[in-house]
Amino acid sequence: MTCGFGTRIKGAQIHHGSLRDRRFAGLGRLQGPIVFGASKPVLHRSSLLTTTGFQSDTHVNQRQISCPQTKQTLLRLIQTQYLCQHPVTKQLTLLQSWANQCLASAVVCLSCIALLVTSPADTAEARTHLTQDEISITELFRENTPSVVFITNLASRRDAYTLDMLEIPQGAGSGLIWDLSGHIVTNYHVIRGASELQVTLTGGAEHPAKIVGYDEDRDVAVLQLITTEGEPPLLHPTKLGDSAELLVGQKVFAIGNPFGLDHTLTSGIISGTGREISSGNTGRPIQDVIQTDAAINPGNSGGPLLDSDGNLIGINTAIYSPSGANSGVGFAIPVDIVRSSVDQIIRFGRVIRPILGISFAPDQSSEQLGVQGILVLDARKGGPAWKSGIKGTSRDKYGRLVLGDIITALNGKRVRTASDLYKLLDKCSIGDKVDMEVLRENNKEHIAITLESSSSLPAPQAPAEPHKSRSSPTP
């Protein structure tokens, strides 16, 4: 046997990996390793025999090795060792390694470019595997969160020991940015009794605010951000929707600051429309209120109620709950009513409505007196009712109570409670002439009254905590 560089082995000769004889007669008598040229020993006979399935003794049986698999295995081993030591092979190996590194770098670069051109929504979907509905909700929250603010109601109190005046937070709620002029809309009961107000925008920027005006009957208030000199804050007004065509079962979302936890999102459906609740400030009914099962808790008041497109359809205002926490029945003032009040407040500083100019007894007192209708307590001097001759309740010279006129109908519509009267007045306009049916000394009379504007009432100043009165507010 002859190796590629002249080493002879009896019975076979190898040229660059080609086998010319099928016999390995004298292999067992070789001493030491098989050597290729001047290279270092690379393959011991004992390891070769072990690989090919023979025993690892120094001597092998003097038989011909005719197994084809054994010859092929030996050929591969010798061929590999020879080629690995060849200079040309080494250069080719280095070249191949460099090419592999370049290819790997190109793959990394292409991957980075693919990540850069991928849209954020696609990246988020690929990473978190969100459903289409979840993607829509997260986008709605991300787009509308900058429109929601946190309002802190500060009241001035005098320290009992130092006699210093302190500003103490007495309440908090939510609000929404109405326009780019810095108007903030919230519930009146959120800012009631405040000496100062602080508005916190998304990102933590805090700004003082002043009261532009409010509508106690609709529980709506408008604030104006007070910004210091410098760059004004970046405002994101809320997108206004329409509450006239809402359907029960429609999906809604509420964003607010319940219990001081800023920018909390809850979802639900519209569980009822056309509800009526009484204003917690004046007792006047608020009609067409939206009922929802979206979680509304203390601190959500004044925050937006949104539809699936992120449009404002109502302002969260109240919940029905014996415990004060969410019980699945929440109420929101429709955006159509809110828009009407806000537009007048921004324009005139107050809400202008047609009024009669009377004050009347609460429904409970009328029931105790056995009166079926609205008992007039007073007709304000110079007002529409006073001009038409409406008489209020008084006392005679002996101190006995003399009941005033009792309103039983308006424009032919039966009036039994204050809610009935308010509903009828809401359908009228300033300057309208109405036919009022009254019961006076057991006689029914019809009196014509021309409704006047409520602008004659004093402009609202800083809202104070209302005291309890035996009479209802002037309609």
Side-chain angles (χ1 to χ4, degrees):
M1 177 177 180
T2 304
C3 293
F5 293 94
T7 303
R8 296 191 61 83
I9 301 178
K10 185 180 179 181
Q13 186 177 7
I14 298 177
H15 291 281
H16 304 292
S18 62
L19 187 62
R20 291 198 176 182
D21 197 288
R22 301 177 181 271
R23 302 175 60 185
F24 293 82
L27 184 62
R29 297 185 181 273
L30 293 177
Q31 300 293 333
I34 300 176
V35 180
F36 290 84
S39 63
K40 298 291 184 180
V42 294
L43 184 61
H44 289 82
R45 183 170 55 84
S46 58
S47 62
L48 172 64
L49 297 178
T50 302
T51 304
T52 55
F54 295 104
Q55 58 184 5
S56 59
D57 295 340
T58 304
H59 299 281
V60 182
N61 225 343
Q62 297 294 330
R63 296 182 299 173
Q64 295 182 353
I65 304 176
S66 60
C67 177
Q69 294 180 353
T70 303
K71 293 179 181 180
Q72 292 296 329
T73 303
L74 179 60
L75 174 62
R76 292 192 189 97
L77 292 172
I78 296 173
Q79 191 178 25
T80 301
Q81 295 300 327
Y82 171 73
L83 292 177
C84 289
Q85 301 302 324
H86 199 280
V88 178
T89 305
K90 290 183 178 180
Q91 294 180 2
L92 292 176
T93 302
L94 293 175
L95 182 60
Q96 183 178 7
S97 176
W98 176 81
N100 290 337
Q101 293 178 0
C102 292
L103 180 60
S105 301
V107 171
V108 173
C109 292
L110 290 175
S111 301
C112 294
I113 294 174
L115 290 176
L116 291 176
V117 301
T118 303
S119 64
D122 295 337
T123 304
E125 184 176 5
R127 290 183 178 179
T128 59
H129 303 289
L130 297 178
T131 65
Q132 188 60 42
D133 185 55
E134 291 172 332
I135 293 174
S136 300
I137 295 175
T138 54
E139 286 297 317
L140 180 145
F141 178 74
R142 182 182 61 83
E143 293 176 0
N144 290 276
T145 295
S147 303
V148 183
V149 301
F150 182 69
I151 300 175
T152 304
N153 183 330
L154 301 174
S156 297
R157 297 288 186 271
R158 186 179 298 277
D159 188 272
Y161 298 98
T162 64
L163 300 182
D164 294 335
M165 294 299 295
L166 304 175
E167 291 183 347
I168 302 175
Q170 66 174 358
S174 305
L176 54 92
I177 300 174
W178 188 261
D179 54 28
L180 292 174
S181 300
H183 290 114
I184 307 296
V185 176
T186 184
N187 287 140
Y188 169 73
H189 72 262
V190 172
I191 57 101
R192 182 176 54 195
S195 58
E196 288 192 17
L197 294 167
Q198 187 177 71
V199 175
T200 304
L201 304 178
T202 302
E206 296 180 350
H207 299 275
K210 64 178 181 180
I211 299 173
V212 177
Y214 52 87
D215 183 0
E216 293 179 274
D217 295 334
R218 297 292 181 264
D219 199 18
V220 175
V222 180
L223 312 179
Q224 174 69 60
L225 283 180
I226 301 176
T227 57
T228 57
E229 295 182 359
E231 185 178 356
L234 181 62
L235 301 179
H236 300 271
T238 305
K239 296 184 297 182
L240 301 184
D242 186 4
S243 59
E245 303 296 333
L246 298 178
L247 301 175
V248 174
Q250 183 175 337
K251 200 167 187 177
V252 292
F253 303 89
I255 303 178
N257 306 280
F259 305 108
L261 302 174
D262 61 334
H263 298 102
T264 299
L265 173 70
T266 58
S267 63
I269 62 170
I270 295 177
S271 49
T273 57
R275 301 294 192 234
E276 178 181 308
I277 63 174
S278 297
S279 171
N281 310 302
T282 63
R284 187 162 182 161
I286 306 175
Q287 302 177 43
D288 298 325
V289 173
I290 304 169
Q291 179 184 332
T292 178
D293 64 350
I296 299 175
N297 290 290
N300 273 113
S301 293
L305 186 69
L306 308 172
D307 61 13
S308 299
D309 294 328
N311 298 319
L312 179 69
I313 59 173
I315 293 183
N316 303 316
T317 187
I319 57 175
Y320 180 81
S321 173
S323 63
N326 175 61
S327 61
V329 181
F331 300 100
I333 304 174
V335 67
D336 293 346
I337 293 179
V338 174
R339 184 189 290 110
S340 174
S341 297
V342 170
D343 290 346
Q344 292 191 59
I345 291 173
I346 293 176
R347 184 176 179 182
F348 305 110
R350 70 189 74 186
V351 175
I352 300 176
R353 291 194 181 94
I355 61 171
L356 291 170
I358 63 172
S359 60
F360 52 87
D363 295 337
Q364 295 84 352
S365 300
S366 298
E367 291 178 0
Q368 293 174 357
L369 294 173
V371 174
Q372 299 295 325
I374 301 296
L375 176 61
V376 178
L377 296 180
D378 179 55
R380 189 181 59 183
K381 186 176 181 180
W386 180 82
K387 294 177 181 178
S388 300
I390 297 294
K391 296 182 179 180
T393 301
S394 61
R395 292 184 181 275
D396 59 14
K397 60 181 181 179
Y398 301 105
R400 293 174 298 188
L401 188 67
V402 179
L403 299 181
D405 292 338
I406 301 173
I407 302 173
T408 57
L410 187 69
N411 287 337
K413 304 292 184 181
R414 182 68 176 172
V415 174
R416 296 181 180 272
T417 63
S419 178
D420 297 337
L421 180 61
Y422 282 129
K423 290 179 182 178
L424 294 173
L425 288 176
D426 286 340
K427 298 178 181 179
C428 300
S429 302
I430 298 173
D432 289 351
K433 288 186 178 181
V434 296
D435 177 40
M436 178 179 292
E437 180 185 282
V438 298
L439 184 63
R440 179 181 297 175
E441 297 178 356
N442 296 325
N443 296 320
K444 286 186 178 182
E445 297 185 14
H446 289 267
I447 301 175
I449 300 177
T450 301
L451 301 178
E452 296 182 3
S453 169
S454 60
S455 60
S456 57
L457 297 176
Q461 305 297 325
E465 188 74 25
H467 61 277
K468 292 184 178 180
S469 174
R470 292 185 179 181
S471 62
S472 295
T474 303

